[in-house]
């Protein structure tokens, strides 16, 4: 079955601390992986994507993610969190021949302490 | 210029009514989608259209009928609204239907009284 698991429903970090959000996927074909961020009342904004090649991908707002095929993981990281990073983060997986269908994880809500 | 725009942003209505949500994208994309986000923030695809042709229909009740008059528009009509239809509906688009990044609208919050 195709699925995405984000084990942490809610994470709180202090401003300036490092961040890692976990994502594990189950997908039968070659996965295309995405991280999106959703601020309250807003749509989803793409942070970064992995299609192939270098397994460490850089995104916007200082985020990066590492694809580990052996662990079926695509964890999101940021070295120093800013208060404006507080939001909901979604990991998603899709494939080349799936009609564009994305399967989303349940999301991780990030809170940032001053 | 807003890339993917949805109207209305909020929709409050009673059970049994019929309502429509409109979506337009100005990105020149070929593929458009409708997603439903439930109260627990879980996102699930409902429909996908590529060049006005339906390519994904995720076992959505037939009370939901998408319509794509052209590549830039994908509307969602819902008949006989039920309490369980309360959710946030997101429209999205991508350059093509094949694992490309999707650009999302800001959502339409539908509340059924």
């Amino acid at each position: 079955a195709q699925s995405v698991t984000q084990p942490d429903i809610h994470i709180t970090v202090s401003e300036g601390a490092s961040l890692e959000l976990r994502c594990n996927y189950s997908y039968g074909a070659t996965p295309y992986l995405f991280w999106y961020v959703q601020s309250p009342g807003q749509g989803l904004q793409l942070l970064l994507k992995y299609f192939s090649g270098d397994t460490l991908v850089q995104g916007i707002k200082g985020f990066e993610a590492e694809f580990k095929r052996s662990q079926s993981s695509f964890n999101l990281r940021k070295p120093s969190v800013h208060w404006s990073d507080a939001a909901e983060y979604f990991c998603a997986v899709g494939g080349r021949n799936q009609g564009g269908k994305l399967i989303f994880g349940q999301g991780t809500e990030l809170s940032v302490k001053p | 210029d807003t890339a993917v725009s949805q109207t209305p942003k909020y929709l409050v209505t009673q059970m049994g009514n019929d309502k429509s949500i409109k979506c337009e994208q100005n990105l020149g994309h070929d593929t458009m989608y409708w997603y439903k986000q439930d109260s627990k923030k879980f996102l699930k695809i409902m429909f996908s259209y590529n060049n006005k042709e339906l390519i994904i229909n995720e076992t959505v009740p037939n009370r939901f009928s998408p319509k794509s008059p052209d590549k830039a528009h994908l509307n969602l009509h819902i008949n006989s609204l039920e309490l369980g239809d309360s959710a946030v509906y997101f429209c999205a688009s991508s350059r093509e239907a094949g694992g490309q990044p999707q650009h999302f609208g800001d959502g339409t919050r539908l509340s059924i009284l």
Side-chain angles (χ1 to χ4, degrees):
Chain A
Q2 300 172 341
S3 65
V4 176
T5 301
Q6 293 178 244
D8 304 305
I9 302 294
H10 190 192
I11 281 184
T12 300
V13 300
S14 297
E15 192 168 15
S18 63
L19 171 70
E20 182 168 31
L21 301 183
R22 295 182 290 164
C23 172
N24 291 97
Y25 66 91
S26 173
Y27 201 73
T30 300
Y32 292 173
L33 292 153
F34 307 85
W35 275 99
Y36 285 87
V37 61
Q38 184 181 24
S39 297
Q42 302 291 312
L44 280 73
Q45 180 184 22
L46 180 69
L47 285 176
L48 45 76
K49 61 185 184 291
Y50 173 78
F51 287 173
S52 64
D54 193 347
T55 56
L56 185 63
V57 293
Q58 303 297 320
I60 62 171
K61 304 184 181 188
F63 285 92
E64 66 178 26
E66 186 170 13
F67 171 59
K68 292 186 178 179
R69 185 184 299 276
S70 62
Q71 297 177 20
S72 298
S73 70
F74 188 57
N75 294 348
L76 182 72
R77 300 194 293 247
K78 186 168 184 178
S80 177
V81 167
H82 188 261
W83 64 266
S84 61
D85 292 325
E88 190 87 22
Y89 290 81
F90 292 94
C91 180
V93 66
R96 185 170 182 79
N97 298 313
Q98 298 296 311
K101 175 180 177 179
L102 289 183
I103 297 166
F104 283 85
Q106 57 266 60
T108 297
E109 183 181 359
L110 173 65
S111 298
V112 180
K113 289 190 301 187
Chain B
D1 265 355
T2 304
V4 180
S5 59
Q6 298 178 226
T7 53
K9 192 169 175 67
Y10 300 97
L11 193 48
V12 181
T13 190
Q14 294 190 327
M15 261 195 330
N17 285 349
D18 304 338
K19 290 294 178 186
S20 291
I21 307 172
K22 295 187 176 182
C23 179
E24 176 182 5
Q25 54 95 3
N26 62 6
L27 296 167
H29 288 168
D30 283 348
T31 310
M32 296 185 72
Y33 312 83
W34 278 111
Y35 286 87
K36 179 180 181 180
Q37 186 174 46
D38 64 22
S39 57
K40 295 184 178 177
K41 299 193 179 177
F42 182 65
L43 272 156
K44 191 174 191 308
I45 191 166
M46 300 172 69
F47 302 102
S48 166
Y49 270 74
N50 188 58
N51 270 320
K52 302 191 299 175
E53 183 181 338
L54 180 68
I55 55 173
I56 292 176
N57 181 343
E58 282 287 301
T59 59
V60 178
N62 57 16
R63 298 183 293 105
F64 291 78
S65 51
K67 281 193 173 46
S68 182
D70 56 58
K71 263 184 7 176
H73 296 84
L74 179 62
N75 303 323
L76 182 65
H77 188 76
I78 316 170
N79 288 327
S80 304
L81 280 157
E82 300 177 358
L83 287 175
D85 298 331
S86 294
V88 182
Y89 293 85
F90 285 99
C91 177
S93 72
S94 63
R95 189 160 48 88
E96 58 185 27
Q100 294 297 315
Q102 295 178 17
H103 298 254
F104 284 77
D106 284 344
T108 296
R109 182 173 294 276
L110 174 62
S111 299
I112 311 301
L113 302 178

